[in-house]
Amino acid sequence: VIGGIYKGRKLKSSEGLKTRPTPSIVREALFDILGERVKGSYFLDLYAGFGCVGIEALSRGAAFSMFVEENFKTSSIIKENLKLLGINSGYQILAVSALKSIKKIYLYNLKFDFIFLDPPYSESPFMKFFELLCENNILSKGGEIIIQHSKKSSPEIPEGYLLKKEYNYGDTSLLFALKKED
């Protein structure tokens, strides 16, 4: 963990599972960009892997983090990491696909200030994600969508959303998008 109350604590991971954890330099840059806005926020970590981004949000004062990780083994490591840090509340783990989770989250009547989307670089679910987000609005007013992607292929931002900014860190990019206000 890079910053906040759990700064310096090591998280558990596992070899052999198909995950690509967000590099620490990218995580640090992400949370430097978000700054104080993380405090008290609702943070959604889609394609959560071992949970480092959502845990970083909790460490920096997020009120709630939801972790979505389809792989059951990997999602159980998120639970172990939260337990290791002594985090007993303020989170939920969904062991379903990121795209299927949008409808479930909508049914929970939750809205998120930040939605972090980091799919495998070989996948490009972005248009489907935005389509589901339009149908099941889980982004709070003024909330941001953050997409981590390969610098080689930038996702298209559909009508109804605005590209706020894009940052590059080696082969990795972070794209920030906002919903257009009606």
Side-chain angles (χ1 to χ4, degrees):
V1 181
I2 297 166
I5 61 175
Y6 304 111
K7 181 179 181 175
R9 302 281 299 271
K10 299 282 183 209
L11 298 177
K12 185 178 178 182
S13 62
S14 181
E15 297 295 320
L17 294 173
K18 292 181 181 181
T19 59
R20 179 190 31 78
T22 298
S24 57
I25 192 166
V26 176
R27 251 191 353 255
E28 185 171 13
L30 167 64
F31 285 96
D32 283 350
I33 293 164
L34 298 180
E36 294 295 312
R37 296 180 298 149
V38 173
K39 289 186 175 157
S41 70
Y42 274 56
F43 196 96
L44 176 58
D45 186 358
L46 293 171
Y47 300 92
F50 304 122
C52 24
V53 174
I55 289 172
E56 191 76 41
L58 289 171
S59 182
R60 292 171 184 251
F64 181 80
S65 274
M66 181 174 280
F67 302 87
V68 176
E69 175 53 52
E70 184 174 21
N71 183 295
F72 182 76
K73 267 189 172 177
T74 308
S75 68
S76 68
I77 293 173
I78 296 170
K79 192 171 191 169
E80 288 178 43
N81 281 329
L82 291 161
K83 187 176 180 181
L84 181 72
L85 295 172
I87 301 172
N88 300 312
S89 61
Y91 72 88
Q92 185 172 0
I93 302 169
L94 290 180
V96 298
S97 79
L99 294 175
K100 285 182 182 175
S101 74
I102 303 297
K103 284 186 181 193
K104 279 187 173 236
I105 293 166
Y106 178 75
L107 294 174
Y108 294 155
N109 202 25
L110 286 172
K111 299 258 184 191
F112 290 91
D113 303 297
F114 302 103
I115 298 176
F116 182 74
L117 182 68
D118 178 20
Y121 286 173
S122 61
E123 294 181 22
S124 56
F126 305 113
M127 293 311 281
K128 184 67 178 166
F129 165 75
F130 280 109
E131 180 184 307
L132 285 168
L133 198 56
C134 284
E135 292 170 10
N136 307 277
N137 187 16
I138 61 168
L139 187 65
S140 66
K141 186 175 175 126
E144 293 183 47
I145 299 163
I146 306 150
I147 299 173
Q148 180 179 322
H149 63 91
S150 169
K151 193 168 115 177
K152 296 173 188 161
S153 60
S154 191
E156 210 176 298
I157 303 299
E159 195 174 313
Y161 291 87
L162 296 169
L163 172 64
K164 179 180 176 186
K165 185 87 175 166
E166 190 164 10
Y167 301 89
N168 295 311
Y169 306 94
D171 293 336
T172 302
S173 292
L174 290 175
L175 182 148
F176 290 74
L178 305 165
K179 188 173 184 186
K180 285 182 184 175
E181 296 300 321
D182 294 329

